[in-house]
Amino acid sequence: MPIILPAPTAPALRLMRRRATPLLALAAWLASGMALAASEAPQPALAAPAVAAMPASAQAPAPPAGDDAPPAHAAAPRGDDDDEKPRRWEGAIGLVANWGPEYAGAGRQAFKLVPAGFVRYGRVSISAAGGFGSARRSDDVDRGVAAALMDRETLRVSLGLRADSGRRESSSDRLAGMGDIDPTLRAQLTVNWRPERHWSLTTGISVDALSQGNGWWLQLGASRNFPLTRDTALAAGASVRWVGQTYAQRWYGVTPAQSQASGYPAYAPGDGLADLTLGLRLRTDFGPRWSGFLAASASRLLGPAARGPLAERESNWGLGSGLVWRF
């Protein structure tokens, strides 16, 4: 479905000209953040804290293998300001820090710090990380490049592309002999329903858009937002993921060649439930421009993911924090 943006008015054109340099600088910042997350960040295990049914790389602790989790859609901190008219242009730049497992099922944790932020014009957004949302809107920002096909008060449908950085053998001693999983692009369709002001139900399906052998997965989740003050909110949620056989084999399986190189027994998993994630996120605004969050998650491998020889630890946890300047 094509997304048609309205022609900017004369005042809008003047505003865009005045902001041309900052927007170019922000685009460079976001590009560097995506490149860093895709090329240097360790691969934590499971979906981002389901602070709204989610996975995303730098968006929260313990993203799913491949940094490919569904976007979060928890309500924004300003629980009493949802009626405020959103601006057509908005964005943010900042940093996100995460502490989580080296890969899905790893027994060791790893730390990463990456640039974060987003630019949104109407229904189209570009983001190097998710989880910040907007103080002016009740939804979060999809990670990657995304367009809202439908954006109503209680229902949002979005289609997007995001980078999946794959998995590097060098990211953990436990992966020696397993080889690398090549990076790819994932196409994702996400549906978010808010049956009540503070509840959010999300489903997302993600497929390997470049046919690199990374398969597909489906994720379901629910979250509840608890406004604490005008500028602060606590969100709690849970998500569960079902993966296809191709995805399971690539991320959790061991081929005969990998078995010979690594010493692990050969393992050919089928499709099935892969992981369950519980999460908490505290998000607050520090005045009109600054915003930050603290997050914690607990995750557990299920089914074929838990039975594989790479699963050193079935249960794991993660921590995350972020700080951004909004404009």
Side-chain angles (χ1 to χ4, degrees):
M1 175 176 178
I3 300 300
I4 302 175
L5 299 178
T9 61
L13 286 172
R14 289 195 297 271
L15 180 62
M16 291 166 66
R17 292 189 189 102
R18 289 198 300 270
R19 293 190 175 181
T21 300
L23 287 176
L24 288 174
L26 178 58
W29 174 275
L30 293 178
S32 67
M34 290 186 218
L36 180 59
S39 63
E40 296 183 1
Q43 303 304 310
L46 302 176
V51 174
M54 14 233 110
S57 134
Q59 68 184 17
D67 295 339
D68 58 359
H73 292 288
R78 293 182 184 272
D80 299 326
D81 291 349
D82 284 356
D83 295 332
E84 185 177 344
K85 185 178 180 179
R87 301 189 313 181
R88 184 160 291 276
W89 275 107
E90 64 177 332
I93 55 175
L95 290 172
V96 171
N98 284 320
W99 177 262
E102 292 177 333
Y103 67 90
R108 294 194 307 184
Q109 307 289 99
F111 174 82
K112 65 178 178 179
L113 180 68
V114 295
F118 72 91
V119 174
R120 175 159 52 186
Y121 179 77
R123 293 188 175 192
V124 180
S125 64
I126 303 175
S127 176
F132 288 104
S134 163
R136 308 178 192 90
R137 299 180 61 160
S138 61
D139 61 329
D140 231 322
V141 179
D142 296 341
R143 180 172 163 263
V145 180
L149 307 182
M150 180 185 296
D151 197 358
R152 299 178 180 174
E153 182 178 355
T154 60
L155 182 65
R156 186 172 191 269
V157 181
S158 64
L159 181 65
L161 282 175
R162 64 179 59 189
D164 179 343
S165 59
R167 187 180 69 194
R168 291 183 299 170
E169 179 181 338
S170 60
S171 64
S172 173
D173 294 340
R174 293 269 302 176
L175 296 176
M178 292 297 297
D180 296 337
I181 297 178
D182 294 333
T184 189
L185 285 177
R186 301 196 70 87
Q188 185 164 302
L189 179 66
T190 304
V191 179
N192 175 252
W193 178 44
R194 297 179 65 192
E196 190 272 334
R197 179 180 178 87
H198 298 301
W199 278 98
S200 178
L201 304 177
T202 301
T203 181
I205 184 168
S206 175
V207 299
D208 182 354
L210 300 183
S211 299
Q212 296 280 71
N214 285 318
W216 63 272
W217 51 255
L218 173 70
Q219 187 159 10
L220 303 174
S223 68
R224 175 67 161 86
N225 199 57
F226 300 91
L228 303 180
T229 68
R230 180 176 180 275
D231 297 311
T232 303
L234 177 68
S239 66
V240 63
R241 204 161 55 122
W242 180 286
V243 301
Q245 182 176 7
T246 301
Y247 185 96
Q249 178 61 51
R250 177 60 62 96
W251 290 96
Y252 312 122
V254 180
T255 66
Q258 289 173 326
S259 175
Q260 186 175 5
S262 66
Y264 292 121
Y267 177 60
D271 58 350
L273 291 175
D275 46 62
L276 170 69
T277 301
L278 307 176
L280 290 173
R281 178 182 292 146
L282 179 68
R283 190 161 48 187
T284 189
D285 290 345
F286 305 105
R289 295 292 184 184
W290 290 93
S291 180
F293 75 85
L294 296 173
S297 69
S299 55
R300 184 172 179 82
L301 295 179
L302 304 173
R307 293 191 293 267
L310 292 177
E312 186 178 10
R313 180 184 296 173
E314 293 184 10
S315 298
N316 227 313
W317 57 274
L319 298 173
S321 63
L323 181 67
V324 296
W325 179 79
R326 295 192 308 267
F327 60 88

